[in-house]
Amino acid sequence: MKFINDAKKTAMESLKRAAAVFLLAAFLFGFILPAGARAESAPRIYAVKLQAGYGPDLLKSFGKNIERRFVNMSGVSGEFSNIYTFDSEYRLETLNAGLRGKIQYIQPVSMLESSQAYLNDPAFTANIMDIDKQWGLVKAGFDKAWEKTAGSFQNTVAVIDTGIDQTHADLKSGSYATGFDFISRQEIATGSNSDDNGHGTLVAGVLGATANNAQGIVGTNWQIVLMPLKALDSSGKGDAVTVAEAIVWAADHGASIVNLSVGGIGFGHDTALANAVSYAFAKNVLLVAAAGNDISSTGSNLDQNPVFPICDDNNYNMVIGVAATDQNDLKPEFSNYGRNCIDVAAPGKRILSAINYDPLTKKPSPNSYAYASGTSLAVPFVAGQAALIRALYPFASNVQIRDRIISTADPIDNLNLTQCGGNSCRGLLGAGRINVPKSLEKAITRNFSEGDLVRNDLTGAIYLISGGQKRLVSPFVFNQRFAGATIKSIGVSELAALPEGSYVTPADGTLVKLDGSPAVYRIFNGQKLPVTAQIFTHLGLRFSEVNTVSYSELNSWPTGSFLAPKDGTLVKAHKNKTVYWAVGQALHPISYEFYKDRGLSIFPIMLIPDKDISNFAKGEPYFR
């Protein structure tokens, strides 16, 4: 009988498994572009919407010819109130800084005069096929969205990453909240450089690079507050607990959106991380995370190999999962995919952004730019979209913003016929590639809420509104879980705006099978867990308790690991003599010292076929 008796080796394995390492999801390549010299903007007319309580006197120190607009008009709503135009010789970033916290937006009048945004940043392009410039902004529709809003300084987006170089020429005029360095355990002062890797600066550039400064690039939001939270070290690595700390810190310090351009395959569900996600979600914070790039040749199916934190959202879709697309809306070879963790896709291949480290030499390269590819570059496009929605509808909840992003995406399944492991990506890239202007078209109101049961007026089908999706409720599940519950009747068009998710699962502990199939599953935490004949007998289950469900229903539920033996059961395989202790739906390898000290030698050991042992969830090792 073989036990784990090398304590040092076991401790290291436990640490690796318990604190899932988060690898940067961006593969940097291409070349560095030299920083352009800052050019003075020509005097021009600006339009500004002031916050309530402020009037034209505020603008006198910044310009002249101040004129209130949209006056003497009937039916003017809050969207058009307190708007002024004025002449100023100051550059846009100077006005942003001087009026910070007192305006909803400020923008050159020229942008409002055209369907195409005016920008003098040399890397901006209106041509989505010009992949040497910022094609992703136009592909996702940010240029059209800016006609409605360019953002708001009331929105704080926490960037949990390697830090941000706030001294970069294209970022130093931006607005920043005080951040925190979880590596050195000290606050990050505004105006400082906290990035010793470059990845966080790349993300920040996509989100909020300065607009109209006649150099470099432009971000998704022209008015935005970034909060640098350094949870990854100079090599771009960190652990689940540190990321969890950063999420909680962001939620407690005013962040409304969290950008998580990080991801990694964990050993299993991480409690600290899952609790942090729940904590932030409950505080109305929207979290956006990368799908990851785990198999560079074809990408990985997250339904089979979940990545955290994107898949650690407690079966409630608390995290918007983002896959990457190219200029043709095709999933690049590196991007992960999956039905259960991906909500939308966004531009993520050959993305031009600010950087302060040469990705090839790993040496400092101040005020530079680089091309990067990865799902981590797709995330700030979605976080930026969320910030624009919140700027236009400041009272929208995180659930409403999440649902709006998902429901307005453009479907791209029909374009991705072989991009997911050589097979069709149908249903594996979420609702599709984000469409930013479409997400801003209608005010955010609805006749149903998260958790409501609704009936399709046309078909009579009953759905549960959950995680930004409508999930069909079968008659069996309705009678088991929702008998007597209130059901709202919803119009077909309103219900059609939501993407369809998997069937609602029966209650935890329910045994299910297909008609004519011997395979039995037990429902647990939103998954179906296969039950072997040995475990079926071991747990004292009965066939009279097994419920028959439809193929479409059973197939829609994600499959988890094999159902584990009773807590406290000792097990091992026939050939591999490692002994495991069953605790909490996982098998934990134990050392000989642990086996003796706990008095486990008096208990029998269940022998499990070698072909089955690998299919049980494994937990961290136990040793003395």
Side-chain angles (χ1 to χ4, degrees), residues 452-480:
D452 281 350
L453 284 173
V454 299
R455 178 183 284 110
N456 186 317
D457 284 343
L458 182 64
T459 66
I462 297 174
Y463 296 88
L464 175 70
I465 305 302
S466 176
Q469 299 176 322
K470 57 179 184 285
R471 302 179 60 189
L472 193 61
V473 181
S474 69
F476 165 65
V477 172
F478 180 83
N479 292 328
Q480 183 196 47

PDB file of all heavy atoms in Angstrom, residues 452-480:
ATOM      1  N   ASP A 452     -37.129  35.594 -11.772  1.00  0.00           N
ATOM      2  CA  ASP A 452     -38.561  35.491 -12.076  1.00  0.00           C
ATOM      3  C   ASP A 452     -38.847  34.268 -12.938  1.00  0.00           C
ATOM      4  O   ASP A 452     -38.040  33.867 -13.783  1.00  0.00           O
ATOM      5  CB  ASP A 452     -39.036  36.737 -12.836  1.00  0.00           C
ATOM      6  CG  ASP A 452     -39.274  37.923 -11.923  1.00  0.00           C
ATOM      7  OD1 ASP A 452     -39.247  37.728 -10.689  1.00  0.00           O
ATOM      8  OD2 ASP A 452     -39.467  39.036 -12.436  1.00  0.00           O
ATOM      9  N   LEU A 453     -40.041  33.715 -12.750  1.00  0.00           N
ATOM     10  CA  LEU A 453     -40.571  32.710 -13.661  1.00  0.00           C
ATOM     11  C   LEU A 453     -41.479  33.434 -14.650  1.00  0.00           C
ATOM     12  O   LEU A 453     -42.355  34.210 -14.250  1.00  0.00           O
ATOM     13  CB  LEU A 453     -41.375  31.651 -12.900  1.00  0.00           C
ATOM     14  CG  LEU A 453     -40.587  30.611 -12.107  1.00  0.00           C
ATOM     15  CD1 LEU A 453     -41.537  29.757 -11.281  1.00  0.00           C
ATOM     16  CD2 LEU A 453     -39.754  29.731 -13.024  1.00  0.00           C
ATOM     17  N   VAL A 454     -41.256  33.206 -15.946  1.00  0.00           N
ATOM     18  CA  VAL A 454     -42.042  33.894 -16.969  1.00  0.00           C
ATOM     19  C   VAL A 454     -42.590  32.877 -17.951  1.00  0.00           C
ATOM     20  O   VAL A 454     -41.997  31.823 -18.193  1.00  0.00           O
ATOM     21  CB  VAL A 454     -41.197  34.951 -17.709  1.00  0.00           C
ATOM     22  CG1 VAL A 454     -40.679  36.012 -16.745  1.00  0.00           C
ATOM     23  CG2 VAL A 454     -40.022  34.319 -18.445  1.00  0.00           C
ATOM     24  N   ARG A 455     -43.750  33.219 -18.528  1.00  0.00           N
ATOM     25  CA  ARG A 455     -44.380  32.331 -19.511  1.00  0.00           C
ATOM     26  C   ARG A 455     -44.389  33.028 -20.872  1.00  0.00           C
ATOM     27  O   ARG A 455     -44.787  34.191 -20.986  1.00  0.00           O
ATOM     28  CB  ARG A 455     -45.800  31.986 -19.086  1.00  0.00           C
ATOM     29  CG  ARG A 455     -46.531  31.088 -20.105  1.00  0.00           C
ATOM     30  CD  ARG A 455     -47.960  30.802 -19.715  1.00  0.00           C
ATOM     31  NE  ARG A 455     -48.032  29.811 -18.643  1.00  0.00           N
ATOM     32  CZ  ARG A 455     -48.393  30.079 -17.399  1.00  0.00           C
ATOM     33  NH1 ARG A 455     -48.710  31.327 -17.054  1.00  0.00           N
ATOM     34  NH2 ARG A 455     -48.436  29.132 -16.486  1.00  0.00           N
ATOM     35  N   ASN A 456     -43.972  32.307 -21.888  1.00  0.00           N
ATOM     36  CA  ASN A 456     -44.038  32.803 -23.250  1.00  0.00           C
ATOM     37  C   ASN A 456     -45.501  32.853 -23.677  1.00  0.00           C
ATOM     38  O   ASN A 456     -46.190  31.827 -23.709  1.00  0.00           O
ATOM     39  CB  ASN A 456     -43.244  31.875 -24.179  1.00  0.00           C
ATOM     40  CG  ASN A 456     -43.139  32.386 -25.598  1.00  0.00           C
ATOM     41  OD1 ASN A 456     -44.104  32.865 -26.170  1.00  0.00           O
ATOM     42  ND2 ASN A 456     -41.949  32.267 -26.171  1.00  0.00           N
ATOM     43  N   ASP A 457     -45.999  34.056 -23.997  1.00  0.00           N
ATOM     44  CA  ASP A 457     -47.406  34.215 -24.340  1.00  0.00           C
ATOM     45  C   ASP A 457     -47.816  33.385 -25.545  1.00  0.00           C
ATOM     46  O   ASP A 457     -48.968  32.965 -25.665  1.00  0.00           O
ATOM     47  CB  ASP A 457     -47.707  35.691 -24.634  1.00  0.00           C
ATOM     48  CG  ASP A 457     -47.782  36.525 -23.370  1.00  0.00           C
ATOM     49  OD1 ASP A 457     -47.932  35.932 -22.291  1.00  0.00           O
ATOM     50  OD2 ASP A 457     -47.682  37.763 -23.469  1.00  0.00           O
ATOM     51  N   LEU A 458     -46.872  33.139 -26.452  1.00  0.00           N
ATOM     52  CA  LEU A 458     -47.200  32.436 -27.685  1.00  0.00           C
ATOM     53  C   LEU A 458     -47.187  30.928 -27.518  1.00  0.00           C
ATOM     54  O   LEU A 458     -48.118  30.231 -27.942  1.00  0.00           O
ATOM     55  CB  LEU A 458     -46.222  32.849 -28.788  1.00  0.00           C
ATOM     56  CG  LEU A 458     -46.459  32.240 -30.174  1.00  0.00           C
ATOM     57  CD1 LEU A 458     -47.811  32.718 -30.718  1.00  0.00           C
ATOM     58  CD2 LEU A 458     -45.338  32.619 -31.128  1.00  0.00           C
ATOM     59  N   THR A 459     -46.137  30.394 -26.884  1.00  0.00           N
ATOM     60  CA  THR A 459     -45.975  28.932 -26.784  1.00  0.00           C
ATOM     61  C   THR A 459     -46.429  28.346 -25.452  1.00  0.00           C
ATOM     62  O   THR A 459     -46.643  27.150 -25.345  1.00  0.00           O
ATOM     63  CB  THR A 459     -44.502  28.556 -27.000  1.00  0.00           C
ATOM     64  OG1 THR A 459     -43.720  29.075 -25.903  1.00  0.00           O
ATOM     65  CG2 THR A 459     -43.975  29.130 -28.308  1.00  0.00           C
ATOM     66  N   GLY A 460     -46.522  29.177 -24.423  1.00  0.00           N
ATOM     67  CA  GLY A 460     -46.872  28.681 -23.101  1.00  0.00           C
ATOM     68  C   GLY A 460     -45.703  28.121 -22.326  1.00  0.00           C
ATOM     69  O   GLY A 460     -45.848  27.704 -21.176  1.00  0.00           O
ATOM     70  N   ALA A 461     -44.508  28.090 -22.942  1.00  0.00           N
ATOM     71  CA  ALA A 461     -43.320  27.560 -22.262  1.00  0.00           C
ATOM     72  C   ALA A 461     -42.960  28.443 -21.070  1.00  0.00           C
ATOM     73  O   ALA A 461     -43.100  29.673 -21.119  1.00  0.00           O
ATOM     74  CB  ALA A 461     -42.153  27.472 -23.228  1.00  0.00           C
ATOM     75  N   ILE A 462     -42.492  27.823 -20.012  1.00  0.00           N
ATOM     76  CA  ILE A 462     -42.118  28.542 -18.790  1.00  0.00           C
ATOM     77  C   ILE A 462     -40.598  28.589 -18.693  1.00  0.00           C
ATOM     78  O   ILE A 462     -39.912  27.578 -18.891  1.00  0.00           O
ATOM     79  CB  ILE A 462     -42.722  27.864 -17.550  1.00  0.00           C
ATOM     80  CG1 ILE A 462     -44.253  27.916 -17.616  1.00  0.00           C
ATOM     81  CG2 ILE A 462     -42.225  28.533 -16.266  1.00  0.00           C
ATOM     82  CD1 ILE A 462     -44.932  27.138 -16.505  1.00  0.00           C
ATOM     83  N   TYR A 463     -40.085  29.770 -18.385  1.00  0.00           N
ATOM     84  CA  TYR A 463     -38.647  29.977 -18.261  1.00  0.00           C
ATOM     85  C   TYR A 463     -38.316  30.580 -16.897  1.00  0.00           C
ATOM     86  O   TYR A 463     -39.125  31.300 -16.307  1.00  0.00           O
ATOM     87  CB  TYR A 463     -38.126  30.932 -19.344  1.00  0.00           C
ATOM     88  CG  TYR A 463     -38.270  30.431 -20.753  1.00  0.00           C
ATOM     89  CD1 TYR A 463     -39.433  30.662 -21.473  1.00  0.00           C
ATOM     90  CD2 TYR A 463     -37.231  29.736 -21.371  1.00  0.00           C
ATOM     91  CE1 TYR A 463     -39.565  30.211 -22.779  1.00  0.00           C
ATOM     92  CE2 TYR A 463     -37.353  29.283 -22.669  1.00  0.00           C
ATOM     93  CZ  TYR A 463     -38.528  29.512 -23.372  1.00  0.00           C
ATOM     94  OH  TYR A 463     -38.643  29.064 -24.658  1.00  0.00           O
ATOM     95  N   LEU A 464     -37.097  30.305 -16.449  1.00  0.00           N
ATOM     96  CA  LEU A 464     -36.530  30.981 -15.287  1.00  0.00           C
ATOM     97  C   LEU A 464     -35.518  32.000 -15.795  1.00  0.00           C
ATOM     98  O   LEU A 464     -34.639  31.664 -16.591  1.00  0.00           O
ATOM     99  CB  LEU A 464     -35.839  29.979 -14.355  1.00  0.00           C
ATOM    100  CG  LEU A 464     -35.088  30.579 -13.156  1.00  0.00           C
ATOM    101  CD1 LEU A 464     -36.062  31.165 -12.143  1.00  0.00           C
ATOM    102  CD2 LEU A 464     -34.209  29.513 -12.472  1.00  0.00           C
ATOM    103  N   ILE A 465     -35.630  33.252 -15.368  1.00  0.00           N
ATOM    104  CA  ILE A 465     -34.662  34.276 -15.744  1.00  0.00           C
ATOM    105  C   ILE A 465     -33.480  34.151 -14.791  1.00  0.00           C
ATOM    106  O   ILE A 465     -33.598  34.385 -13.586  1.00  0.00           O
ATOM    107  CB  ILE A 465     -35.272  35.689 -15.655  1.00  0.00           C
ATOM    108  CG1 ILE A 465     -36.548  35.768 -16.491  1.00  0.00           C
ATOM    109  CG2 ILE A 465     -34.252  36.725 -16.096  1.00  0.00           C
ATOM    110  CD1 ILE A 465     -36.357  35.424 -17.951  1.00  0.00           C
ATOM    111  N   SER A 466     -32.337  33.751 -15.329  1.00  0.00           N
ATOM    112  CA  SER A 466     -31.177  33.467 -14.481  1.00  0.00           C
ATOM    113  C   SER A 466     -29.893  33.721 -15.244  1.00  0.00           C
ATOM    114  O   SER A 466     -29.713  33.218 -16.356  1.00  0.00           O
ATOM    115  CB  SER A 466     -31.212  32.000 -14.013  1.00  0.00           C
ATOM    116  OG  SER A 466     -30.061  31.655 -13.277  1.00  0.00           O
ATOM    117  N   GLY A 467     -29.015  34.524 -14.640  1.00  0.00           N
ATOM    118  CA  GLY A 467     -27.704  34.753 -15.241  1.00  0.00           C
ATOM    119  C   GLY A 467     -27.749  35.423 -16.585  1.00  0.00           C
ATOM    120  O   GLY A 467     -26.896  35.169 -17.435  1.00  0.00           O
ATOM    121  N   GLY A 468     -28.743  36.298 -16.809  1.00  0.00           N
ATOM    122  CA  GLY A 468     -28.840  36.985 -18.082  1.00  0.00           C
ATOM    123  C   GLY A 468     -29.393  36.121 -19.196  1.00  0.00           C
ATOM    124  O   GLY A 468     -29.302  36.495 -20.369  1.00  0.00           O
ATOM    125  N   GLN A 469     -29.964  34.968 -18.863  1.00  0.00           N
ATOM    126  CA  GLN A 469     -30.500  34.048 -19.857  1.00  0.00           C
ATOM    127  C   GLN A 469     -31.913  33.629 -19.470  1.00  0.00           C
ATOM    128  O   GLN A 469     -32.328  33.761 -18.312  1.00  0.00           O
ATOM    129  CB  GLN A 469     -29.621  32.802 -19.963  1.00  0.00           C
ATOM    130  CG  GLN A 469     -28.185  33.061 -20.380  1.00  0.00           C
ATOM    131  CD  GLN A 469     -27.359  31.788 -20.369  1.00  0.00           C
ATOM    132  OE1 GLN A 469     -27.518  30.934 -19.490  1.00  0.00           O
ATOM    133  NE2 GLN A 469     -26.477  31.647 -21.338  1.00  0.00           N
ATOM    134  N   LYS A 470     -32.655  33.127 -20.442  1.00  0.00           N
ATOM    135  CA  LYS A 470     -33.930  32.475 -20.146  1.00  0.00           C
ATOM    136  C   LYS A 470     -33.681  30.968 -20.183  1.00  0.00           C
ATOM    137  O   LYS A 470     -33.162  30.440 -21.156  1.00  0.00           O
ATOM    138  CB  LYS A 470     -35.012  32.883 -21.143  1.00  0.00           C
ATOM    139  CG  LYS A 470     -34.698  32.616 -22.607  1.00  0.00           C
ATOM    140  CD  LYS A 470     -35.867  33.047 -23.480  1.00  0.00           C
ATOM    141  CE  LYS A 470     -35.644  32.706 -24.948  1.00  0.00           C
ATOM    142  NZ  LYS A 470     -34.667  33.620 -25.574  1.00  0.00           N
ATOM    143  N   ARG A 471     -34.029  30.294 -19.122  1.00  0.00           N
ATOM    144  CA  ARG A 471     -33.752  28.862 -18.992  1.00  0.00           C
ATOM    145  C   ARG A 471     -35.069  28.102 -18.904  1.00  0.00           C
ATOM    146  O   ARG A 471     -35.882  28.347 -18.003  1.00  0.00           O
ATOM    147  CB  ARG A 471     -32.870  28.592 -17.772  1.00  0.00           C
ATOM    148  CG  ARG A 471     -31.544  29.343 -17.803  1.00  0.00           C
ATOM    149  CD  ARG A 471     -30.716  29.072 -16.564  1.00  0.00           C
ATOM    150  NE  ARG A 471     -30.396  27.665 -16.416  1.00  0.00           N
ATOM    151  CZ  ARG A 471     -29.829  27.127 -15.337  1.00  0.00           C
ATOM    152  NH1 ARG A 471     -29.522  27.909 -14.308  1.00  0.00           N
ATOM    153  NH2 ARG A 471     -29.569  25.835 -15.280  1.00  0.00           N
ATOM    154  N   LEU A 472     -35.275  27.207 -19.837  1.00  0.00           N
ATOM    155  CA  LEU A 472     -36.530  26.473 -19.921  1.00  0.00           C
ATOM    156  C   LEU A 472     -36.731  25.584 -18.685  1.00  0.00           C
ATOM    157  O   LEU A 472     -35.799  24.923 -18.218  1.00  0.00           O
ATOM    158  CB  LEU A 472     -36.537  25.618 -21.187  1.00  0.00           C
ATOM    159  CG  LEU A 472     -37.877  25.014 -21.623  1.00  0.00           C
ATOM    160  CD1 LEU A 472     -38.884  26.121 -21.905  1.00  0.00           C
ATOM    161  CD2 LEU A 472     -37.672  24.163 -22.870  1.00  0.00           C
ATOM    162  N   VAL A 473     -37.958  25.594 -18.187  1.00  0.00           N
ATOM    163  CA  VAL A 473     -38.320  24.779 -17.019  1.00  0.00           C
ATOM    164  C   VAL A 473     -39.214  23.640 -17.494  1.00  0.00           C
ATOM    165  O   VAL A 473     -40.323  23.873 -17.997  1.00  0.00           O
ATOM    166  CB  VAL A 473     -39.056  25.620 -15.955  1.00  0.00           C
ATOM    167  CG1 VAL A 473     -39.394  24.764 -14.736  1.00  0.00           C
ATOM    168  CG2 VAL A 473     -38.222  26.825 -15.547  1.00  0.00           C
ATOM    169  N   SER A 474     -38.751  22.417 -17.349  1.00  0.00           N
ATOM    170  CA  SER A 474     -39.551  21.267 -17.768  1.00  0.00           C
ATOM    171  C   SER A 474     -40.690  21.046 -16.764  1.00  0.00           C
ATOM    172  O   SER A 474     -40.625  21.504 -15.620  1.00  0.00           O
ATOM    173  CB  SER A 474     -38.676  20.013 -17.834  1.00  0.00           C
ATOM    174  OG  SER A 474     -38.289  19.612 -16.522  1.00  0.00           O
ATOM    175  N   PRO A 475     -41.752  20.360 -17.179  1.00  0.00           N
ATOM    176  CA  PRO A 475     -42.852  20.079 -16.241  1.00  0.00           C
ATOM    177  C   PRO A 475     -42.375  19.369 -14.976  1.00  0.00           C
ATOM    178  O   PRO A 475     -42.857  19.663 -13.873  1.00  0.00           O
ATOM    179  CB  PRO A 475     -43.795  19.204 -17.068  1.00  0.00           C
ATOM    180  CG  PRO A 475     -43.535  19.611 -18.485  1.00  0.00           C
ATOM    181  CD  PRO A 475     -42.066  19.903 -18.552  1.00  0.00           C
ATOM    182  N   PHE A 476     -41.447  18.423 -15.131  1.00  0.00           N
ATOM    183  CA  PHE A 476     -40.935  17.713 -13.956  1.00  0.00           C
ATOM    184  C   PHE A 476     -40.259  18.663 -12.974  1.00  0.00           C
ATOM    185  O   PHE A 476     -40.532  18.639 -11.776  1.00  0.00           O
ATOM    186  CB  PHE A 476     -39.944  16.623 -14.400  1.00  0.00           C
ATOM    187  CG  PHE A 476     -39.087  16.084 -13.282  1.00  0.00           C
ATOM    188  CD1 PHE A 476     -39.652  15.381 -12.225  1.00  0.00           C
ATOM    189  CD2 PHE A 476     -37.716  16.291 -13.279  1.00  0.00           C
ATOM    190  CE1 PHE A 476     -38.867  14.889 -11.185  1.00  0.00           C
ATOM    191  CE2 PHE A 476     -36.928  15.818 -12.251  1.00  0.00           C
ATOM    192  CZ  PHE A 476     -37.499  15.117 -11.196  1.00  0.00           C
ATOM    193  N   VAL A 477     -39.377  19.530 -13.493  1.00  0.00           N
ATOM    194  CA  VAL A 477     -38.663  20.463 -12.621  1.00  0.00           C
ATOM    195  C   VAL A 477     -39.617  21.503 -12.038  1.00  0.00           C
ATOM    196  O   VAL A 477     -39.497  21.899 -10.872  1.00  0.00           O
ATOM    197  CB  VAL A 477     -37.516  21.137 -13.379  1.00  0.00           C
ATOM    198  CG1 VAL A 477     -36.878  22.256 -12.553  1.00  0.00           C
ATOM    199  CG2 VAL A 477     -36.455  20.104 -13.749  1.00  0.00           C
ATOM    200  N   PHE A 478     -40.613  21.931 -12.834  1.00  0.00           N
ATOM    201  CA  PHE A 478     -41.576  22.899 -12.303  1.00  0.00           C
ATOM    202  C   PHE A 478     -42.333  22.313 -11.111  1.00  0.00           C
ATOM    203  O   PHE A 478     -42.481  22.963 -10.069  1.00  0.00           O
ATOM    204  CB  PHE A 478     -42.564  23.307 -13.401  1.00  0.00           C
ATOM    205  CG  PHE A 478     -43.595  24.296 -12.929  1.00  0.00           C
ATOM    206  CD1 PHE A 478     -43.304  25.656 -12.880  1.00  0.00           C
ATOM    207  CD2 PHE A 478     -44.851  23.871 -12.516  1.00  0.00           C
ATOM    208  CE1 PHE A 478     -44.237  26.565 -12.429  1.00  0.00           C
ATOM    209  CE2 PHE A 478     -45.794  24.773 -12.060  1.00  0.00           C
ATOM    210  CZ  PHE A 478     -45.484  26.128 -12.019  1.00  0.00           C
ATOM    211  N   ASN A 479     -42.827  21.081 -11.253  1.00  0.00           N
ATOM    212  CA  ASN A 479     -43.571  20.452 -10.157  1.00  0.00           C
ATOM    213  C   ASN A 479     -42.681  20.195  -8.947  1.00  0.00           C
ATOM    214  O   ASN A 479     -43.143  20.253  -7.800  1.00  0.00           O
ATOM    215  CB  ASN A 479     -44.201  19.149 -10.633  1.00  0.00           C
ATOM    216  CG  ASN A 479     -45.313  19.380 -11.644  1.00  0.00           C
ATOM    217  OD1 ASN A 479     -46.006  20.396 -11.582  1.00  0.00           O
ATOM    218  ND2 ASN A 479     -45.478  18.446 -12.583  1.00  0.00           N
ATOM    219  N   GLN A 480     -41.403  19.897  -9.208  1.00  0.00           N
ATOM    220  CA  GLN A 480     -40.496  19.606  -8.099  1.00  0.00           C
ATOM    221  C   GLN A 480     -40.059  20.857  -7.362  1.00  0.00           C
ATOM    222  O   GLN A 480     -39.994  20.886  -6.139  1.00  0.00           O
ATOM    223  CB  GLN A 480     -39.261  18.873  -8.624  1.00  0.00           C
ATOM    224  CG  GLN A 480     -38.295  18.456  -7.510  1.00  0.00           C
ATOM    225  CD  GLN A 480     -36.917  18.090  -8.042  1.00  0.00           C
ATOM    226  OE1 GLN A 480     -36.352  18.829  -8.847  1.00  0.00           O
ATOM    227  NE2 GLN A 480     -36.388  16.954  -7.603  1.00  0.00           N
TER     228      GLN A 480
END
